[in-house]
Amino acid sequence: MKALSYLIIANVLVISLASFTAAEGLNVMHKSGQTFITWTEDADPDVKYNLYLSESPITMDKLTSAELAAIGIPSGTGADMIDEQAKPLAIQIYRKDELGTDWAADISGASPEKLAKPKHGYAISTFGSHLPFGTGLYVRNADKSREVYYAIAKTDASGKIIGSLITSDVPAAERPANPEPVLERLRKCDSGEIIKYYTHWSTKDIALKENMSFKFELQIGVDVGKSGPSPLVVLLHGGGGAETLPAPLEGNFILLLPNNYTPGFPEVYDFWYGYNTEIYTGNLKEGVNVNFTERRLLYLIDWVKSNYNIDENRIYLIGGSMGGTGSLNFGLRHPEIFAAIHAMVPHTNMGSGIAPHDSWFLRLWGKREEAIKTNEGVNIWDRFNQIEFVSNPKNNIPFVKTISSREDPAMPWVELPPFIKAMNTAKRAFVSGWGVGPHNIPLEYRPKLARMFDIYKIRKNESYPAFSNSSLNDDPGNGDAEDGTITGIMGGGFDWEILADTDKKWSAKISHIADDKQEAAADITPRNLQKFKVSNKDEYSYANTDSSGNIIQSGTIKADENGLLTISQVKITSIGNTITISR
C-alpha cells in the first residue's frame, strides 16, 4: 500500500446547488421515498408538535379526520447535533515497510457546551443550505403512492393542542422508494482523495422509528473509476467516535465510515448491533432485541454497491474497540459479503459478565438472567458469544484477523484465549496477535508477524490455507494477565500463493515469514475452496515439494466429519514449499 499524506485542505468544497429555507407555514419536499417536512418552531423550547396528514387540505375543524403521523415531536429536531458529537484528532500513520498494515485513529469527544449550542441545522438537499435555527424537521417514509397534505399542531406539556395549525399549501406527491442519503459537503486531501459527508434518515427497518438521523462518510481513492472495480473497506469506529480521518489505503479503494451516534437516543452506542424495542420505556423484558444497526450497515453497503463499481470479492470489515466487537458480531455472520475481517481489541463474549462496562450492555439488551430474545429468535447473550459461533463447524465465516492487549482495561483479555483457541481447533483461517499496553495498544507492542499480515490480499473468490497447531504459534494462556506468552500470535507467520484450485487438484506455494526460523510446521487445511470440491467418500493424495522439486512429504488423507481436508504437520521453509492435494 502506498503512503498517503493526511493533511486536509482547510477549504471545504461546497457547491450550493439547492437551498431549502423554512418560512412561515409548512414546507414539504418529497424525494426517494421520503418526505422532508420543515416548519418554524415556537420560541418556547418546551413546546412539542403533532404531525397530521390527509389527502385533502387540513383545517382545525377537519383535524379529527386527518391521520396522526407523529406525536410529541420535540423542539430542535432540525439542529444537526451529530456534527457536534465528536471531532477527530490526528491519525496515527503506520508505515507498512516498517510496521505492517495496522492503523488506527484517535477520536475526541465533544464537550457538553458544544452539544448545547450546535453550529448549524441539517442540510436536507445535496450541497444545500443548512436549516436555520428554530426550524423543526420531520422525515416521513411514504407508505403508498398518493397526494398528501400535512399540518403541524403545537402542544403543551399535557399534549393539549395550543395555537393555530401550521399547514402546507400544496400536497406532496409521495411515492414509496429506497431512500437516498443527502450529500452535505466534500473535503479534499492534499494527495487527491475525496471525503464525502452524508446524512440519511431512518426507515423502520434500520431504526426503531422514523425521523432518526445518521451520518456516514466515503473516502474515495484517487484511482477510483480508473482501473476497474474498487475494493470496499467498511470501518466501524469505537465508542465515543463519530468521524475518522483518511486511512492509508491504496488509490483504488473506497472506504465507508458509518456513524453509530444518534442525538437524544437513550443509549447512543450499541456496539453496531441494535437495541431493545422498549428502550425508551426501560421495560426491556416486554420488548425484543432487534439488530437495527446491522440492518443499517447492510443498507449502506448495498447503497455504495449501487452507486460505485465495487469489487464484490474484495469487501473488508475492520474496526477497533466497539468497532472491533461489531466487526466480529456482524462480519462473522456475513461471509457472503466480506472477504476478511480485522477486529482490533474486540469483545468476543459480551455475555460473560466480566466487562467493566457491563451495565452499558444491560441498558441496551436487558439483564443477563432475563435472556431476552432477539428478532432472530435466540438469547441475546448467545448471539454475542463469538467463541461458540466460531466453534460450530456448520458456521461458515470470512478470514479473521484480531489484535488484542493483555492489559486492556475495557475489553478483558480473559475473553480472547478461548476465542483464539477455538479458531485453531476449528481449523479456521485466521491470524491473531496480542501484546501488552493500554486499550489502544501501541503498535510497537503488537507482534510483528501479526502486523505483517495484510488482510487485503484475501479475496472471496479465491481459496486460502488455514494454519493450525503451528510451530510458530505462541501460547495465549488461560486468560490471566501473566499466563502464556506475553506477546505472541496464533494462526499466522505464513505467506502463500494459490497455484491451482480445479475440480481435480488444489495447490499452493507456501512460505513462512519468521526471521529466526529455518523451518516451520503446521497442519494445513484448504479453506474457501472454489472448484476443488471435497467428498467424505473419496481418498486424496498429497505431496509437499521443496524449492528444488524434491518431494519431502507425501501420503493420503480423507475428509473429516466436517468435510475438511487437513495435512498434518507440513514442513515449510522461508524459501517456500509447494503443497498439492489431488483427487
mmCIF file of all heavy atoms in Angstrom, residues 517-554:
data_model
loop_
_atom_site.group_PDB
_atom_site.id
_atom_site.type_symbol
_atom_site.label_atom_id
_atom_site.label_comp_id
_atom_site.label_asym_id
_atom_site.label_seq_id
_atom_site.Cartn_x
_atom_site.Cartn_y
_atom_site.Cartn_z
ATOM 1 N N LYS A 517 13.606 -18.515 11.906
ATOM 2 C CA LYS A 517 13.286 -19.927 11.712
ATOM 3 C C LYS A 517 13.778 -20.396 10.346
ATOM 4 O O LYS A 517 13.550 -19.734 9.331
ATOM 5 C CB LYS A 517 11.770 -20.152 11.792
ATOM 6 C CG LYS A 517 11.122 -19.727 13.113
ATOM 7 C CD LYS A 517 11.394 -20.711 14.217
ATOM 8 C CE LYS A 517 10.604 -20.332 15.473
ATOM 9 N NZ LYS A 517 10.882 -21.257 16.591
ATOM 10 N N GLN A 518 14.476 -21.550 10.331
ATOM 11 C CA GLN A 518 14.830 -22.156 9.051
ATOM 12 C C GLN A 518 13.675 -22.958 8.496
ATOM 13 O O GLN A 518 13.452 -23.019 7.291
ATOM 14 C CB GLN A 518 16.057 -23.058 9.212
ATOM 15 C CG GLN A 518 17.348 -22.301 9.458
ATOM 16 C CD GLN A 518 18.543 -23.237 9.449
ATOM 17 O OE1 GLN A 518 18.399 -24.443 9.644
ATOM 18 N NE2 GLN A 518 19.728 -22.681 9.242
ATOM 19 N N GLU A 519 12.898 -23.561 9.423
ATOM 20 C CA GLU A 519 11.788 -24.393 9.004
ATOM 21 C C GLU A 519 10.676 -24.283 10.029
ATOM 22 O O GLU A 519 10.917 -24.138 11.229
ATOM 23 C CB GLU A 519 12.230 -25.850 8.871
ATOM 24 C CG GLU A 519 11.160 -26.775 8.292
ATOM 25 C CD GLU A 519 11.695 -28.194 8.112
ATOM 26 O OE1 GLU A 519 11.587 -28.975 9.084
ATOM 27 O OE2 GLU A 519 12.210 -28.489 7.025
ATOM 28 N N ALA A 520 9.456 -24.292 9.536
ATOM 29 C CA ALA A 520 8.285 -24.292 10.409
ATOM 30 C C ALA A 520 7.388 -25.447 10.004
ATOM 31 O O ALA A 520 7.573 -26.060 8.947
ATOM 32 C CB ALA A 520 7.536 -22.965 10.296
ATOM 33 N N ALA A 521 6.423 -25.766 10.854
ATOM 34 C CA ALA A 521 5.485 -26.846 10.544
ATOM 35 C C ALA A 521 4.105 -26.459 11.041
ATOM 36 O O ALA A 521 3.960 -25.776 12.066
ATOM 37 C CB ALA A 521 5.924 -28.155 11.181
ATOM 38 N N ALA A 522 3.080 -26.887 10.303
ATOM 39 C CA ALA A 522 1.698 -26.595 10.695
ATOM 40 C C ALA A 522 0.766 -27.580 10.022
ATOM 41 O O ALA A 522 1.077 -28.146 8.965
ATOM 42 C CB ALA A 522 1.330 -25.167 10.306
ATOM 43 N N ASP A 523 -0.387 -27.806 10.646
ATOM 44 C CA ASP A 523 -1.466 -28.516 9.968
ATOM 45 C C ASP A 523 -2.077 -27.553 8.955
ATOM 46 O O ASP A 523 -2.409 -26.409 9.291
ATOM 47 C CB ASP A 523 -2.541 -28.954 10.964
ATOM 48 C CG ASP A 523 -2.013 -29.939 11.995
ATOM 49 O OD1 ASP A 523 -0.910 -30.474 11.794
ATOM 50 O OD2 ASP A 523 -2.715 -30.153 13.002
ATOM 51 N N ILE A 524 -2.234 -27.979 7.720
ATOM 52 C CA ILE A 524 -2.744 -27.117 6.663
ATOM 53 C C ILE A 524 -4.084 -27.631 6.153
ATOM 54 O O ILE A 524 -4.206 -28.806 5.783
ATOM 55 C CB ILE A 524 -1.731 -27.011 5.503
ATOM 56 C CG1 ILE A 524 -0.467 -26.286 5.996
ATOM 57 C CG2 ILE A 524 -2.336 -26.286 4.315
ATOM 58 C CD1 ILE A 524 0.594 -26.119 4.931
ATOM 59 N N THR A 525 -5.082 -26.736 6.179
ATOM 60 C CA THR A 525 -6.432 -27.059 5.718
ATOM 61 C C THR A 525 -6.834 -26.065 4.638
ATOM 62 O O THR A 525 -6.934 -24.870 4.910
ATOM 63 C CB THR A 525 -7.445 -26.973 6.878
ATOM 64 O OG1 THR A 525 -7.013 -27.807 7.953
ATOM 65 C CG2 THR A 525 -8.830 -27.386 6.418
ATOM 66 N N PRO A 526 -7.044 -26.513 3.400
ATOM 67 C CA PRO A 526 -7.541 -25.587 2.380
ATOM 68 C C PRO A 526 -8.938 -25.085 2.755
ATOM 69 O O PRO A 526 -9.820 -25.881 3.086
ATOM 70 C CB PRO A 526 -7.586 -26.424 1.108
ATOM 71 C CG PRO A 526 -6.667 -27.574 1.369
ATOM 72 C CD PRO A 526 -6.782 -27.848 2.835
ATOM 73 N N ARG A 527 -9.133 -23.780 2.712
ATOM 74 C CA ARG A 527 -10.411 -23.161 3.049
ATOM 75 C C ARG A 527 -10.918 -22.322 1.875
ATOM 76 O O ARG A 527 -10.169 -21.939 0.996
ATOM 77 C CB ARG A 527 -10.250 -22.265 4.281
ATOM 78 C CG ARG A 527 -10.177 -23.039 5.605
ATOM 79 C CD ARG A 527 -11.557 -23.527 6.005
ATOM 80 N NE ARG A 527 -11.641 -23.918 7.399
ATOM 81 C CZ ARG A 527 -12.774 -24.206 8.025
ATOM 82 N NH1 ARG A 527 -13.925 -24.147 7.366
ATOM 83 N NH2 ARG A 527 -12.781 -24.559 9.281
ATOM 84 N N ASN A 528 -12.212 -22.055 1.907
ATOM 85 C CA ASN A 528 -12.853 -21.223 0.887
ATOM 86 C C ASN A 528 -12.621 -21.794 -0.514
ATOM 87 O O ASN A 528 -12.422 -21.044 -1.483
ATOM 88 C CB ASN A 528 -12.340 -19.778 0.962
ATOM 89 C CG ASN A 528 -13.272 -18.801 0.287
ATOM 90 O OD1 ASN A 528 -14.490 -18.909 0.398
ATOM 91 N ND2 ASN A 528 -12.710 -17.837 -0.438
ATOM 92 N N LEU A 529 -12.650 -23.119 -0.620
ATOM 93 C CA LEU A 529 -12.394 -23.775 -1.906
ATOM 94 C C LEU A 529 -13.423 -23.350 -2.952
ATOM 95 O O LEU A 529 -14.616 -23.205 -2.657
ATOM 96 C CB LEU A 529 -12.430 -25.288 -1.725
ATOM 97 C CG LEU A 529 -11.245 -25.885 -0.952
ATOM 98 C CD1 LEU A 529 -11.542 -27.305 -0.532
ATOM 99 C CD2 LEU A 529 -9.975 -25.807 -1.776
ATOM 100 N N GLN A 530 -12.941 -23.150 -4.183
ATOM 101 C CA GLN A 530 -13.796 -22.676 -5.255
ATOM 102 C C GLN A 530 -14.253 -23.826 -6.151
ATOM 103 O O GLN A 530 -15.435 -24.105 -6.251
ATOM 104 C CB GLN A 530 -13.045 -21.618 -6.072
ATOM 105 C CG GLN A 530 -12.590 -20.415 -5.251
ATOM 106 C CD GLN A 530 -13.746 -19.642 -4.651
ATOM 107 O OE1 GLN A 530 -14.632 -19.183 -5.375
ATOM 108 N NE2 GLN A 530 -13.758 -19.500 -3.324
ATOM 109 N N LYS A 531 -13.326 -24.521 -6.796
ATOM 110 C CA LYS A 531 -13.673 -25.605 -7.720
ATOM 111 C C LYS A 531 -13.329 -26.986 -7.168
ATOM 112 O O LYS A 531 -13.913 -27.978 -7.581
ATOM 113 C CB LYS A 531 -12.978 -25.392 -9.061
ATOM 114 C CG LYS A 531 -13.453 -24.159 -9.802
ATOM 115 C CD LYS A 531 -12.773 -24.034 -11.160
ATOM 116 C CE LYS A 531 -13.286 -22.823 -11.920
ATOM 117 N NZ LYS A 531 -12.616 -22.687 -13.245
ATOM 118 N N PHE A 532 -12.373 -27.050 -6.263
ATOM 119 C CA PHE A 532 -11.950 -28.336 -5.712
ATOM 120 C C PHE A 532 -12.939 -28.747 -4.623
ATOM 121 O O PHE A 532 -12.875 -28.268 -3.480
ATOM 122 C CB PHE A 532 -10.529 -28.214 -5.145
ATOM 123 C CG PHE A 532 -9.929 -29.533 -4.729
ATOM 124 C CD1 PHE A 532 -9.561 -30.473 -5.671
ATOM 125 C CD2 PHE A 532 -9.712 -29.816 -3.384
ATOM 126 C CE1 PHE A 532 -8.996 -31.689 -5.286
ATOM 127 C CE2 PHE A 532 -9.153 -31.017 -2.992
ATOM 128 C CZ PHE A 532 -8.795 -31.960 -3.935
ATOM 129 N N LYS A 533 -13.874 -29.579 -4.979
ATOM 130 C CA LYS A 533 -14.916 -29.996 -4.056
ATOM 131 C C LYS A 533 -14.501 -31.254 -3.299
ATOM 132 O O LYS A 533 -13.962 -32.184 -3.880
ATOM 133 C CB LYS A 533 -16.227 -30.249 -4.798
ATOM 134 C CG LYS A 533 -16.707 -29.057 -5.615
ATOM 135 C CD LYS A 533 -16.873 -27.796 -4.778
ATOM 136 C CE LYS A 533 -17.355 -26.625 -5.614
ATOM 137 N NZ LYS A 533 -17.445 -25.376 -4.823
ATOM 138 N N VAL A 534 -14.780 -31.267 -2.003
ATOM 139 C CA VAL A 534 -14.339 -32.365 -1.136
ATOM 140 C C VAL A 534 -15.515 -33.284 -0.823
ATOM 141 O O VAL A 534 -16.611 -32.829 -0.493
ATOM 142 C CB VAL A 534 -13.739 -31.809 0.173
ATOM 143 C CG1 VAL A 534 -13.341 -32.946 1.111
ATOM 144 C CG2 VAL A 534 -12.542 -30.917 -0.133
ATOM 145 N N SER A 535 -15.273 -34.584 -0.930
ATOM 146 C CA SER A 535 -16.285 -35.588 -0.620
ATOM 147 C C SER A 535 -15.791 -36.466 0.521
ATOM 148 O O SER A 535 -14.613 -36.844 0.567
ATOM 149 C CB SER A 535 -16.575 -36.446 -1.850
ATOM 150 O OG SER A 535 -17.349 -37.587 -1.501
ATOM 151 N N ASN A 536 -16.683 -36.810 1.429
ATOM 152 C CA ASN A 536 -16.323 -37.702 2.529
ATOM 153 C C ASN A 536 -16.061 -39.135 2.051
ATOM 154 O O ASN A 536 -15.472 -39.945 2.772
ATOM 155 C CB ASN A 536 -17.437 -37.726 3.584
ATOM 156 C CG ASN A 536 -17.536 -36.424 4.346
ATOM 157 O OD1 ASN A 536 -16.536 -35.739 4.522
ATOM 158 N ND2 ASN A 536 -18.724 -36.073 4.796
ATOM 159 N N LYS A 537 -16.503 -39.454 0.834
ATOM 160 C CA LYS A 537 -16.353 -40.815 0.321
ATOM 161 C C LYS A 537 -15.004 -41.045 -0.346
ATOM 162 O O LYS A 537 -14.598 -42.191 -0.525
ATOM 163 C CB LYS A 537 -17.479 -41.107 -0.679
ATOM 164 C CG LYS A 537 -18.879 -41.026 -0.086
ATOM 165 C CD LYS A 537 -19.932 -41.279 -1.152
ATOM 166 C CE LYS A 537 -21.333 -41.176 -0.572
ATOM 167 N NZ LYS A 537 -22.370 -41.406 -1.625
ATOM 168 N N ASP A 538 -14.336 -39.961 -0.750
ATOM 169 C CA ASP A 538 -13.110 -40.107 -1.532
ATOM 170 C C ASP A 538 -11.858 -40.068 -0.674
ATOM 171 O O ASP A 538 -11.859 -39.541 0.446
ATOM 172 C CB ASP A 538 -13.027 -39.002 -2.591
ATOM 173 C CG ASP A 538 -14.126 -39.105 -3.622
ATOM 174 O OD1 ASP A 538 -14.658 -40.216 -3.793
ATOM 175 O OD2 ASP A 538 -14.461 -38.080 -4.239
ATOM 176 N N GLU A 539 -10.792 -40.627 -1.238
ATOM 177 C CA GLU A 539 -9.464 -40.524 -0.625
ATOM 178 C C GLU A 539 -8.624 -39.609 -1.512
ATOM 179 O O GLU A 539 -8.767 -39.598 -2.734
ATOM 180 C CB GLU A 539 -8.813 -41.903 -0.528
ATOM 181 C CG GLU A 539 -7.565 -41.914 0.339
ATOM 182 C CD GLU A 539 -7.070 -43.342 0.584
ATOM 183 O OE1 GLU A 539 -6.769 -44.032 -0.417
ATOM 184 O OE2 GLU A 539 -6.998 -43.747 1.750
ATOM 185 N N TYR A 540 -7.757 -38.833 -0.879
ATOM 186 C CA TYR A 540 -6.961 -37.840 -1.603
ATOM 187 C C TYR A 540 -5.481 -38.055 -1.319
ATOM 188 O O TYR A 540 -5.100 -38.444 -0.201
ATOM 189 C CB TYR A 540 -7.370 -36.421 -1.178
ATOM 190 C CG TYR A 540 -8.821 -36.120 -1.460
ATOM 191 C CD1 TYR A 540 -9.818 -36.519 -0.558
ATOM 192 C CD2 TYR A 540 -9.207 -35.457 -2.608
ATOM 193 C CE1 TYR A 540 -11.152 -36.260 -0.808
ATOM 194 C CE2 TYR A 540 -10.544 -35.184 -2.870
ATOM 195 C CZ TYR A 540 -11.511 -35.594 -1.962
ATOM 196 O OH TYR A 540 -12.839 -35.344 -2.217
ATOM 197 N N SER A 541 -4.674 -37.787 -2.317
ATOM 198 C CA SER A 541 -3.226 -37.860 -2.126
ATOM 199 C C SER A 541 -2.674 -36.456 -1.980
ATOM 200 O O SER A 541 -3.229 -35.490 -2.521
ATOM 201 C CB SER A 541 -2.569 -38.565 -3.321
ATOM 202 O OG SER A 541 -2.798 -37.836 -4.516
ATOM 203 N N TYR A 542 -1.582 -36.322 -1.231
ATOM 204 C CA TYR A 542 -0.947 -35.016 -1.061
ATOM 205 C C TYR A 542 0.553 -35.172 -1.213
ATOM 206 O O TYR A 542 1.127 -36.255 -1.032
ATOM 207 C CB TYR A 542 -1.279 -34.409 0.303
ATOM 208 C CG TYR A 542 -0.619 -35.096 1.477
ATOM 209 C CD1 TYR A 542 0.657 -34.734 1.895
ATOM 210 C CD2 TYR A 542 -1.281 -36.106 2.169
ATOM 211 C CE1 TYR A 542 1.270 -35.372 2.968
ATOM 212 C CE2 TYR A 542 -0.689 -36.742 3.238
ATOM 213 C CZ TYR A 542 0.598 -36.379 3.638
ATOM 214 O OH TYR A 542 1.192 -37.010 4.694
ATOM 215 N N ALA A 543 1.195 -34.050 -1.558
ATOM 216 C CA ALA A 543 2.651 -34.020 -1.662
ATOM 217 C C ALA A 543 3.154 -32.643 -1.260
ATOM 218 O O ALA A 543 2.524 -31.621 -1.559
ATOM 219 C CB ALA A 543 3.095 -34.340 -3.090
ATOM 220 N N ASN A 544 4.275 -32.636 -0.552
ATOM 221 C CA ASN A 544 4.974 -31.410 -0.171
ATOM 222 C C ASN A 544 6.300 -31.411 -0.915
ATOM 223 O O ASN A 544 7.165 -32.238 -0.653
ATOM 224 C CB ASN A 544 5.191 -31.375 1.346
ATOM 225 C CG ASN A 544 5.993 -30.159 1.796
ATOM 226 O OD1 ASN A 544 6.341 -29.284 0.995
ATOM 227 N ND2 ASN A 544 6.297 -30.107 3.086
ATOM 228 N N THR A 545 6.457 -30.474 -1.852
ATOM 229 C CA THR A 545 7.649 -30.415 -2.689
ATOM 230 C C THR A 545 8.495 -29.209 -2.312
ATOM 231 O O THR A 545 7.958 -28.097 -2.194
ATOM 232 C CB THR A 545 7.253 -30.313 -4.178
ATOM 233 O OG1 THR A 545 6.364 -31.381 -4.498
ATOM 234 C CG2 THR A 545 8.474 -30.383 -5.070
ATOM 235 N N ASP A 546 9.802 -29.395 -2.097
ATOM 236 C CA ASP A 546 10.651 -28.263 -1.727
ATOM 237 C C ASP A 546 11.021 -27.441 -2.961
ATOM 238 O O ASP A 546 10.598 -27.742 -4.094
ATOM 239 C CB ASP A 546 11.884 -28.741 -0.968
ATOM 240 C CG ASP A 546 12.833 -29.590 -1.816
ATOM 241 O OD1 ASP A 546 12.733 -29.557 -3.061
ATOM 242 O OD2 ASP A 546 13.680 -30.284 -1.217
ATOM 243 N N SER A 547 11.833 -26.397 -2.755
ATOM 244 C CA SER A 547 12.154 -25.467 -3.834
ATOM 245 C C SER A 547 12.991 -26.106 -4.937
ATOM 246 O O SER A 547 13.076 -25.577 -6.046
ATOM 247 C CB SER A 547 12.895 -24.250 -3.269
ATOM 248 O OG SER A 547 14.084 -24.661 -2.608
ATOM 249 N N SER A 548 13.607 -27.287 -4.652
ATOM 250 C CA SER A 548 14.405 -27.991 -5.660
ATOM 251 C C SER A 548 13.600 -29.035 -6.416
ATOM 252 O O SER A 548 14.131 -29.755 -7.257
ATOM 253 C CB SER A 548 15.616 -28.661 -4.998
ATOM 254 O OG SER A 548 16.444 -27.695 -4.370
ATOM 255 N N GLY A 549 12.328 -29.157 -6.069
ATOM 256 C CA GLY A 549 11.468 -30.123 -6.743
ATOM 257 C C GLY A 549 11.432 -31.479 -6.100
ATOM 258 O O GLY A 549 10.857 -32.422 -6.661
ATOM 259 N N ASN A 550 12.033 -31.608 -4.918
ATOM 260 C CA ASN A 550 12.048 -32.885 -4.207
ATOM 261 C C ASN A 550 10.792 -33.039 -3.345
ATOM 262 O O ASN A 550 10.423 -32.111 -2.618
ATOM 263 C CB ASN A 550 13.285 -32.986 -3.315
ATOM 264 C CG ASN A 550 14.564 -32.861 -4.117
ATOM 265 O OD1 ASN A 550 14.738 -33.515 -5.143
ATOM 266 N ND2 ASN A 550 15.478 -32.010 -3.646
ATOM 267 N N ILE A 551 10.169 -34.207 -3.424
ATOM 268 C CA ILE A 551 9.025 -34.482 -2.555
ATOM 269 C C ILE A 551 9.553 -34.886 -1.184
ATOM 270 O O ILE A 551 10.241 -35.897 -1.049
ATOM 271 C CB ILE A 551 8.149 -35.603 -3.145
ATOM 272 C CG1 ILE A 551 7.538 -35.149 -4.481
ATOM 273 C CG2 ILE A 551 7.036 -35.982 -2.166
ATOM 274 C CD1 ILE A 551 6.692 -36.201 -5.163
ATOM 275 N N ILE A 552 9.241 -34.063 -0.174
ATOM 276 C CA ILE A 552 9.754 -34.337 1.172
ATOM 277 C C ILE A 552 8.676 -34.925 2.089
ATOM 278 O O ILE A 552 8.991 -35.483 3.139
ATOM 279 C CB ILE A 552 10.357 -33.074 1.805
ATOM 280 C CG1 ILE A 552 9.306 -31.959 1.906
ATOM 281 C CG2 ILE A 552 11.554 -32.582 0.998
ATOM 282 C CD1 ILE A 552 9.802 -30.742 2.674
ATOM 283 N N GLN A 553 7.431 -34.801 1.699
ATOM 284 C CA GLN A 553 6.337 -35.420 2.439
ATOM 285 C C GLN A 553 5.253 -35.811 1.440
ATOM 286 O O GLN A 553 4.993 -35.088 0.478
ATOM 287 C CB GLN A 553 5.724 -34.452 3.474
ATOM 288 C CG GLN A 553 6.623 -34.118 4.658
ATOM 289 C CD GLN A 553 5.972 -33.064 5.551
ATOM 290 O OE1 GLN A 553 5.741 -31.945 5.123
ATOM 291 N NE2 GLN A 553 5.686 -33.439 6.796
ATOM 292 N N SER A 554 4.606 -36.941 1.687
ATOM 293 C CA SER A 554 3.501 -37.353 0.830
ATOM 294 C C SER A 554 2.659 -38.379 1.575
ATOM 295 O O SER A 554 3.072 -38.925 2.604
ATOM 296 C CB SER A 554 4.011 -37.948 -0.489
ATOM 297 O OG SER A 554 4.762 -39.119 -0.252
#
